[in-house]
Amino acid sequence: MMELLNYDFMQRAMIAALLVGLTAPAVGTFIVQRRLALLGDGIGHVALTGVALGFLTGTTPVVTAVIVSVLGAVAIELVRARGRTSGDVALALLFYGGIAGGVMLIGLSPGGSNATLMSALFGSISSVTEEDVWITAALAVAVLGVVVYFGRELFLLCQDEDVARTSGLPVRFLSLLIAVTAAVTVVIAMRVVGLLMVSALMVVPVATSQQLSRSFLATMLLAMGFGVVATVGGLSSAFYAGVAPGATIVLLSLAGFVLALGIGRFVRRSRAQESTP
């Protein structure tokens, strides 16, 4: 493990992986609770347009990806809340529009090609720069700050939106806050696992922790732990095996879910037998 840190690019990659491992499952806990597991996928496709816009305008792709992703997330939430079309249809519209917009804009950018988008789609953690690390760290702190500060309100909203509304909570604001936070998280994880697989890192660790815990807080904390193990462990394994880091991280997360599923069933079966007279 220490051998990895002898390389500057791996030091930056490890920091980015650690930040993603913490933030993605933290936000994912609220998304899964609200049954919006595909939200990360929809925002990820929109972020592709933001990345292409960065190349077209000659600005930092991460910044433009954040702006476009936030706008897309707000659009999803407003369409869903107003009920003019179902949530899955709104996500589908962003799926198609995001991919098409990204391909078109990258084609218009000087020297751009569809191959330029590959690093954004599948991750390119080895090319993380020092500037990327600082931007990722700032975004991660902002996301975790939102989770900590608004945690109780967001928990109540995710449990029952009607109860949250009757309790006097600003439901529209909190719903938009979750969507915007998810958008920022997608951009944070873009370099690590890629936009096509970012939703897995927001959902799978949460699903894994749900097999082993009962309370909401325990689920979130455990999911964050699983996220760190998956990102850091996956990155380390990919380095030695010479394979794609993003795919390795996601597969390691899925392996953890299968293991937790078996352990959870065994524990529940044991408790049921103990309670049977």
Side-chain angles (χ1 to χ4, degrees):
M1 180 68 177
M2 295 304 297
E3 178 186 350
L4 300 176
L5 302 180
N6 292 331
Y7 302 94
D8 291 340
F9 77 93
M10 284 304 298
Q11 294 175 9
R12 296 190 294 269
M14 279 293 181
I15 294 174
L18 178 63
L19 293 172
V20 170
L22 289 172
T23 53
V27 176
T29 305
F30 296 106
I31 292 176
V32 171
Q33 191 68 28
R34 294 201 79 186
R35 298 178 181 176
L36 293 173
L38 292 179
L39 180 63
D41 272 333
I43 296 175
H45 285 68
V46 175
L48 187 65
T49 297
V51 172
L53 182 62
F55 285 108
L56 178 64
T57 58
T59 56
T60 304
V62 174
V63 175
T64 53
V66 169
I67 296 173
V68 175
S69 298
V70 168
L71 292 176
V74 171
I76 291 175
E77 179 56 34
L78 291 178
V79 171
R80 186 196 67 83
R82 292 180 179 180
R84 293 184 179 179
T85 185
S86 61
D88 58 340
V89 172
L91 287 173
L93 294 175
L94 287 180
F95 272 41
Y96 309 141
I99 288 289
V103 172
M104 183 186 71
L105 291 179
I106 201 64
L108 295 174
S109 62
S113 66
N114 292 342
T116 310
L117 299 178
M118 293 299 290
S119 61
L121 288 172
F122 299 101
S124 181
I125 197 168
S126 60
S127 64
V128 174
T129 64
E130 186 175 347
E131 181 185 8
D132 292 332
V133 172
W134 282 110
I135 294 176
T136 300
L139 295 176
V141 170
V143 168
L144 293 177
V146 168
V147 170
V148 172
Y149 189 80
F150 293 98
R152 292 186 177 182
E153 291 84 354
L154 294 177
F155 166 74
L156 183 58
L157 174 69
C158 293
Q159 291 296 109
D160 194 317
E161 187 171 314
D162 292 331
V163 172
R165 183 175 289 104
T166 56
S167 300
L169 293 179
V171 171
R172 176 63 58 84
F173 168 75
L174 293 174
S175 298
L176 289 173
L177 185 63
I178 291 178
V180 170
T181 306
V184 176
T185 304
V186 166
V187 177
I188 293 174
M190 176 176 63
R191 282 297 185 92
V192 178
V193 294
L195 295 174
L196 291 183
M197 294 183 284
V198 63
S199 187
L201 201 54
M202 300 174 72
V203 173
V204 177
V206 179
T208 302
S209 63
Q210 286 178 334
Q211 307 302 317
L212 305 174
S213 60
R214 295 182 178 181
S215 71
F216 186 87
L217 180 59
T219 297
M220 177 183 291
L221 295 177
L222 198 57
M224 294 170 70
F226 286 141
V228 170
V229 171
T231 52
V232 175
L235 178 60
S236 303
S237 301
F239 176 82
Y240 288 111
V243 294
T248 306
I249 290 170
V250 172
L251 290 175
L252 186 58
S253 299
L254 292 172
F257 172 77
V258 173
L259 180 61
L261 184 64
I263 295 175
R265 287 183 176 179
F266 175 78
V267 171
R268 287 189 291 271
R269 186 180 298 114
S270 299
R271 288 175 178 173
Q273 293 176 350
E274 291 177 358
S275 61
T276 302

